[in-house]
Amino acid sequence: MLLSDQLAWFLAANDFQVTTDFLPPEPDRLACVYAADLEGVPNERGALMQIVFRGPVKDGLALYDAARAEALLRDFEGLFCEGGDYILRAKAESGPTALGADARGRCEYSLEVRVWGCG
């Protein structure tokens, strides 16, 4: 299982509605994990992933979700999911970054995450 899939499982287990590799038009509030730079584990550079959070403008949930995910991943060590790779460390490369609004006027925020794991 790819690290990006494992990260999606972790987010889902923490009450995020999440998908991988493709952000469908619905629902309004959703997170999507993209594999930006995956290599096999172990890997001294770590695997870079991007998580895009989307939500209605009026309630600010996209930013809230991005900040909550950043807090969950800060100094994370352990398993993202049963049967997954052991995660030595996970860290956000920077804080949530505003991407603007999508075609339907929903806010999007990005969080770049680097993960070091061992098989």
Side-chain angles (χ1 to χ4, degrees), residues 32-65:
C32 183
V33 178
Y34 295 96
D37 179 24
L38 291 182
E39 294 184 20
V41 293
N43 174 358
E44 66 183 52
R45 287 187 320 120
L48 181 63
M49 291 174 269
Q50 179 187 33
I51 312 168
V52 174
F53 299 88
R54 177 178 71 202
V57 172
K58 65 182 177 193
D59 56 23
L61 287 175
L63 178 57
Y64 170 78
D65 287 343

Side-chain angles (χ1 to χ4, degrees), residues 25-116:
E26 297 296 330
D28 284 341
R29 186 178 181 191
L30 187 64
C32 183
V33 178
Y34 295 96
D37 179 24
L38 291 182
E39 294 184 20
V41 293
N43 174 358
E44 66 183 52
R45 287 187 320 120
L48 181 63
M49 291 174 269
Q50 179 187 33
I51 312 168
V52 174
F53 299 88
R54 177 178 71 202
V57 172
K58 65 182 177 193
D59 56 23
L61 287 175
L63 178 57
Y64 170 78
D65 287 343
R68 190 165 66 92
E70 180 184 21
L72 283 170
L73 291 166
R74 187 175 300 128
D75 300 321
F76 179 88
E77 180 183 347
L79 294 174
F80 281 151
C81 65
E82 185 177 328
D85 296 308
Y86 188 81
I87 305 304
L88 299 169
R89 183 170 58 133
K91 73 169 198 154
E93 293 282 287
S94 63
T97 303
L99 299 178
D102 70 1
R104 294 186 179 183
R106 300 169 293 196
C107 283
E108 292 184 340
Y109 285 85
S110 172
L111 186 63
E112 287 191 354
V113 178
R114 192 165 300 271
V115 176
W116 289 266

